[in-house]
Amino acid sequence: MKKTFLLTFILLSLNLSQAQDFDIKDFNKKTETADWLLRYDLVAWYSTDTLLTKDKERIGKLGREWFCFQDSTNTWHSVYGKYENGKYDQVFHFIVKSQSEVTETNEQVDQNFLNKHGQALSRAFEEMKPISDSTSIRFNHYIKENDKGNLDVFIFPAFQPNGTAVYGGEFIYEISPKNEIVKDESYYQGQFLGFKTGEPREIWLNYRDKEKPTLGSVFFAWYYKDYFTKINIDNKTSFSTLFNDGGNYTWLNVIKDPKEEAKKKRKKEREERKKNKQRK
């Protein structure tokens, strides 16, 4: 895996009280989660590549509820099986140390652990079913037990088969062992947007209805950092930009000037009124 470094800082505006509005603590927490999600994603890819070399009959027994986890030594594992009637049936178990070191093991993962993860994934899939059924977008899922013993489930648009990087919807649930959604931090813009990869360039993600960068937007930037020269997250009161700084990846957070933004808004409104008059 290529080694990258994440630096985070704020470019303060002339108005100090305005600059203090940026929640750097929340942002740093999201960058840490995004980094974990990317490591999880790599483990999932490595183990799936190995899975596809296995017996087709065994693969046919799998459901959607596969997942990855780290043990007490921080070693990654991938489990593939099916959750049905309150029980998880383990079919494959891989230990993943690197892309070239993925080993299948016959070791049975703790059944309660499997059931809890399978149940949470099943509940999350059901919760977002109306949206997933209404689109052809493919999704990736991630799951992790938190300090409270609940399961955090993250579902984001995957890198699409046609090479499109998609954003605009993120589905984040905290699910209890009783199968209750105790927190829902999902966000959906009403449509999915995207950028074709292949041509390195600067891109802007439209999140102008949100005060803070969402986890999904931060993860998008971190996931696709090698595909674009610069990725900008455009929020209501700030810009967050990830760019390549000589091999290191740097976050720059800039508070917007409210007067300048007001000017832009008035200019846009004038242009819209002018267009409307021309149509009549």
Side-chain angles (χ1 to χ4, degrees), residues 4 12 29 70 124 148 151 154-155 181 199 204 240 257:
T4 57
L12 298 178
K29 182 179 179 182
Q70 288 176 282
K148 295 179 286 187
L151 282 300
F154 311 86
I155 303 176
I181 295 179
E199 178 189 345
W204 287 81
S240 294
D257 183 339

Side-chain angles (χ1 to χ4, degrees), residues 8-279:
T8 306
F9 60 92
I10 289 183
L11 177 64
L12 298 178
S13 71
L14 294 177
N15 184 338
L16 184 58
S17 62
Q18 177 193 350
Q20 289 173 338
D21 290 339
F22 191 88
D23 192 343
I24 190 64
K25 183 177 179 180
D26 176 77
F27 187 79
N28 284 340
K29 182 179 179 182
K30 285 170 179 171
T31 61
E32 290 174 4
T33 302
D35 188 58
W36 174 82
L37 287 165
L38 183 57
R39 286 185 283 120
Y40 186 119
D41 194 87
L42 288 172
V43 170
W45 275 111
Y46 299 160
S47 59
T48 300
D49 285 346
T50 301
L51 172 73
L52 295 177
T53 66
K54 301 298 179 179
D55 180 70
K56 297 294 187 293
E57 184 176 346
R58 291 176 68 199
I59 293 176
K61 297 178 181 179
L62 304 182
R64 298 175 62 193
E65 304 85 10
W66 61 271
F67 63 95
C68 305
F69 67 93
Q70 288 176 282
D71 62 23
S72 59
T73 67
N74 288 326
T75 300
W76 280 97
H77 300 249
S78 292
V79 178
Y80 294 82
K82 186 174 185 178
Y83 180 76
E84 195 172 36
N85 300 320
K87 184 179 180 181
Y88 194 98
D89 179 25
Q90 175 183 311
V91 180
F92 293 96
H93 176 192
F94 298 105
I95 296 175
V96 184
K97 294 185 177 180
S98 67
Q99 185 173 11
S100 60
E101 196 172 359
V102 181
T103 307
E104 183 177 5
T105 173
N106 293 324
E107 179 184 352
Q108 176 67 37
V109 178
D110 177 77
Q111 191 63 51
N112 289 331
F113 183 87
L114 292 174
N115 292 346
K116 191 159 68 168
H117 282 68
Q119 175 181 261
L121 286 171
S122 181
R123 178 63 193 275
F125 294 151
E126 186 63 29
E127 192 69 19
M128 67 162 293
K129 192 173 187 296
I131 293 175
S132 58
D133 283 354
S134 65
T135 180
S136 59
I137 296 295
R138 293 189 182 184
F139 297 90
N140 287 334
H141 62 265
Y142 313 82
I143 187 170
K144 185 179 185 181
E145 186 170 359
N146 62 32
D147 294 337
K148 295 179 286 187
N150 294 332
L151 282 300
D152 293 325
V153 181
F154 311 86
I155 303 176
F156 300 116
F159 193 1
Q160 302 303 302
N162 66 355
T164 301
V166 173
Y167 77 97
E170 52 199 79
F171 309 93
I172 304 171
Y173 310 104
E174 182 179 347
I175 302 174
S176 73
K178 294 182 180 180
N179 208 26
E180 298 172 341
I181 295 179
V182 297
K183 185 186 292 185
D184 184 346
E185 296 182 317
S186 302
Y187 168 71
Y188 180 47
Q189 293 186 355
Q191 62 177 333
F192 291 98
L193 304 171
F195 299 92
K196 274 282 193 179
T197 57
E199 178 189 345
R201 63 198 185 281
E202 180 177 352
I203 62 171
W204 287 81
L205 308 181
N206 182 356
Y207 284 85
R208 290 190 291 272
D209 60 330
K210 300 293 289 182
E211 292 287 344
K212 302 177 182 180
T214 66
L215 175 59
S217 66
V218 174
F219 179 54
F220 179 101
W222 196 230
Y223 189 96
Y224 293 105
K225 60 186 180 296
D226 293 330
Y227 292 88
F228 301 99
T229 56
K230 187 185 294 185
I231 300 176
N232 306 279
I233 304 171
D234 187 2
N235 287 113
K236 188 174 183 179
T237 60
S238 65
F239 299 109
S240 294
T241 302
L242 179 66
F243 60 95
N244 189 337
D245 182 23
N248 294 331
Y249 288 91
T250 304
W251 279 106
L252 175 66
N253 299 307
V254 181
I255 298 295
K256 291 180 178 179
D257 183 339
K259 292 182 180 179
E260 190 63 32
E261 291 302 309
K263 284 183 182 179
K264 290 180 182 178
K265 184 177 180 181
R266 288 194 295 270
K267 181 180 179 181
K268 186 176 181 180
E269 290 173 347
R270 287 196 300 270
E271 291 173 348
E272 286 296 323
R273 286 196 296 269
K274 186 176 180 180
K275 288 180 181 178
N276 291 334
K277 286 181 180 179
Q278 291 174 346
R279 293 192 187 105

